Amino acid sequence: MQEHKVATARRNDFLDASHISRCANAKAQAFIDLSDRVWGMPELRFEELRSVEEHIAAMEAESFQVTRGIAGIRTAFMAEAGEGDVTIGFLGEFDALANLSQVSGITEQREVEPGSNGHGCHHNLLGAASLLAAVALRDALAESGIRARVRYYGCPAEEGGSGKTYMARAGAFDDLDAAFCWHPCVYNAVMSSSTLANLQAYFRFSGRAAHAAMSPQVGRSALDAVELMNVGINYMREHMPSEARVHYAITQTGGISPNVVQASAEGLYLVRAPKLADARTLFERVRKIAEGAALMTETKVEMIFDRATSNILPNRALEEAMHREFTTLGPPDFDSADFEFADRLRAEALTEDDVRASAEAFGGPADYPKSLHDGLLPLPGEPGLLFGSTDVGDVSWVVPTAQCLTATAAIGTPFHAWQAVTQGKLPAAHKAMVTAAKVMAATGARVVADPELLSRAKQELALRRGGKAYLTPLPDGSEPPSTAARP
């Protein structure tokens, strides 16, 4: 019996952070190159066709078995290797943002191609690092002789498409034991926060055109309806929870001729709240305001659902394990050239308000003496609330999930902006993505090696769900958009 314990301990040594790090380093350059290629082909939600093929080719080269078309989505896939009683999943993304084209490695705004897309949230790095994590863990398991199943999930349309929400509804994550992901950031940390649940829909108004001067009385203005809807929502803001948010964009005004009563107009509304039930309640109020605007203008309104995501359920058991592994591995090893560029960017393209906003969002020090974060933020005593949304939330309701952040950009960098795009394939970003891969893989290895940790993580998930099963926020009959375009 004692010999068996010693042999098991020796095998587990192959799963420690240092061995995981060596496995990741051995394959890192191929995935760094992948991230740069994806940076150069920025594709919007559900249209990530070239990026997906790059990811699939990388996993097939590593002998992972690929399943395409998860949840009926052409840009969703799963890559799997190994077998065993424990299944570890890594979540990857690769979608870009519209109108964020930017030349790499400069400190001024300059488009590569006017009006084209860009990786303003560093999802080019996100997917590549999760791929590397899956490969590093697979390799370490093979060398240790310990059996487990490793999966990478290619998840489309995180930016405004809720790809993982559709995948969760289809049961893609049901047989996972634990899921790990990361996100590019300006600080190094383990995320221990819930996020805002959300629902988003188009409200399309139809009226009756008329000559605005000669016969305005016979017209019914859809544009008036959109404006009245916005007025109603603005009055509602005083009477909704302070943590809730309602955002909008006028996506169609009915034309540019002021002498025409506009017969069609449309707005896109995004409703957020800390809990899905609260977001649903607020969304119903928004819907009633739309109906009231239609009533006041004698127009008709149609609601076209677009997306929804659940709030994240933190998992302290996995987060504490991830923080221990991150502490052992250490932050990215930035060099003088990395700091020199970050210093210039901060001086020429960022403000002190940007720096303070970063600190407030992620709980980092606003007075950090360096332009790149080369430390590790402490794990908060209790989970907090991050005022953003992600479809990782839906995965976290299905399976214990943990997420780390690594500093791919200078402190103060506003993501979803050109300042992020310009840093997306610099050496500092590459170092941060490899660090993320190591942290995720090492934490996955801990779960495989420690059945008690996995048991605690599953018990915590059951407790945080309060005995409730995962209930998708997607309306009955909703399907993912087939294209990135507005319906």
Side-chain angles (χ1 to χ4, degrees):
M1 180 63 71
Q2 185 65 31
E3 289 179 358
H4 173 74
K5 289 182 178 179
V6 171
T8 300
R10 287 173 179 167
R11 290 201 304 273
N12 285 343
D13 285 344
F14 283 97
L15 297 182
D16 68 13
S18 61
H19 186 71
I20 293 289
S21 181
R22 289 194 294 275
C23 289
N25 286 338
K27 302 286 179 71
Q29 190 58 53
F31 294 93
I32 289 171
D33 293 343
L34 170 65
S35 75
D36 285 356
R37 291 197 299 276
V38 172
W39 186 96
M41 55 180 75
E43 298 166 302
L44 301 183
R45 65 176 196 167
F46 296 117
E47 290 291 325
E48 313 97 325
L49 298 172
R50 295 171 63 198
S51 301
V52 164
E53 292 305 320
E54 290 280 355
H55 279 227
I56 288 175
M59 293 312 266
E60 288 180 337
E62 288 289 341
S63 300
F64 277 65
Q65 297 298 310
V66 174
T67 302
R68 294 173 178 262
I70 300 296
I73 303 171
R74 60 180 178 169
T75 53
F77 73 95
M78 180 182 74
E80 180 176 283
E83 56 183 21
D85 295 333
V86 178
T87 304
I88 304 296
F90 298 95
L91 311 177
E93 300 162 14
F94 28 72
D95 55 330
L97 290 156
N99 302 313
L100 280 181
S101 177
Q102 171 62 34
V103 174
S104 175
I106 64 174
T107 60
E108 63 180 1
Q109 187 173 12
R110 187 189 307 163
E111 295 174 300
V112 175
E113 181 181 345
S116 61
N117 310 323
H119 275 285
C121 210
H122 288 180
H123 287 190
N124 62 303
L125 299 160
L126 199 162
S130 293
L131 285 171
L132 177 57
V135 171
L137 179 57
R138 187 277 312 268
D139 290 350
L141 288 167
E143 293 177 17
S144 72
I146 296 175
R147 289 162 50 88
R149 184 175 284 109
V150 180
R151 287 182 185 162
Y152 170 82
Y153 287 89
C155 304
E158 191 276 337
E159 299 288 4
S162 304
K164 297 183 197 67
T165 311
Y166 287 103
M167 295 168 74
R169 185 180 68 175
F173 310 108
D174 286 356
D175 61 343
L176 280 181
D177 288 291
F180 297 100
C181 56
W182 77 291
H183 203 285
C185 191
V186 298
Y187 293 107
N188 301 298
V190 171
M191 183 174 161
S192 186
S193 301
S194 184
T195 51
L196 299 178
N198 69 48
L199 297 100
Q200 179 168 292
Y202 294 90
F203 288 86
R204 185 173 297 167
F205 293 88
S206 300
R208 189 169 189 267
H211 193 294
M214 295 178 64
S215 54
Q217 70 276 11
V218 301
R220 298 294 181 265
S221 174
L223 183 57
D224 285 354
V226 168
E227 291 191 279
L228 284 168
M229 182 176 177
N230 286 334
V231 169
I233 289 172
N234 283 334
Y235 278 107
M236 184 186 71
R237 294 182 195 279
E238 183 183 359
H239 307 288
M240 65 187 206
S242 59
E243 299 89 353
R245 303 285 189 270
V246 180
H247 319 286
Y248 75 95
I250 298 178
T251 50
Q252 203 255 95
T253 63
I256 60 172
S257 299
N259 60 342
V260 174
V261 175
Q262 310 296 358
S264 64
E266 178 188 84
L268 176 61
Y269 293 83
L270 171 57
V271 177
R272 308 195 210 215
K275 298 292 172 59
L276 180 58
D278 295 334
R280 283 189 169 126
T281 298
L282 193 58
F283 186 81
E284 277 302 300
R285 294 173 67 186
V286 168
R287 185 182 61 80
K288 290 176 181 177
I289 289 171
E291 292 172 350
L295 183 64
M296 285 188 286
T297 54
E298 292 188 329
T299 58
K300 295 180 180 179
V301 62
E302 177 187 9
M303 187 189 80
I304 302 112
F305 172 80
D306 188 56
R307 65 158 173 142
T309 62
S310 301
N311 52 294
I312 282 181
L313 290 183
N315 193 287
R316 293 291 288 190
L318 291 186
E319 290 162 3
E320 288 170 358
M322 181 174 269
H323 194 267
R324 287 193 295 271
E325 299 302 325
F326 207 153
T327 301
T328 299
L329 289 160
D333 186 19
F334 299 125
D335 61 23
S336 58
D338 299 326
F339 284 109
E340 189 274 333
F341 180 83
D343 288 344
R344 283 198 294 114
L345 185 77
R346 185 160 170 174
E348 298 171 17
L350 303 177
T351 69
E352 289 306 309
D353 284 344
D354 290 326
V355 174
R356 282 192 294 271
S358 290
E360 291 170 1
F362 298 103
D367 58 351
Y368 196 71
K370 300 178 183 179
S371 55
L372 287 168
H373 187 230
D374 57 355
L376 175 62
L377 298 184
L379 191 68
E382 294 291 336
L385 176 63
L386 182 67
F387 282 88
S389 303
T390 173
D391 55 11
V392 173
D394 291 274
V395 182
S396 75
W397 276 82
V398 176
V399 58
T401 304
Q403 181 170 192
C404 67
L405 310 171
T406 64
T408 59
I411 295 172
T413 298
F415 279 69
H416 294 200
W418 72 266
Q419 292 94 332
V421 185
T422 195
Q423 299 175 79
K425 62 174 186 174
L426 297 184
H430 296 155
K431 293 168 186 175
M433 70 161 265
V434 173
T435 296
K438 293 176 180 179
V439 172
M440 288 187 289
T443 313
R446 284 301 98 219
V447 170
V448 172
D450 187 352
E452 183 181 343
L453 169 60
L454 180 56
S455 177
R456 292 200 314 273
K458 290 184 174 182
Q459 290 172 10
E460 182 177 348
L461 173 58
L463 183 64
R464 290 191 184 276
R465 285 200 309 210
K468 300 177 182 177
Y470 169 67
L471 180 64
T472 181
L474 299 170
D476 292 341
S478 61
E479 296 296 333
S482 60
T483 70
R486 176 176 60 84

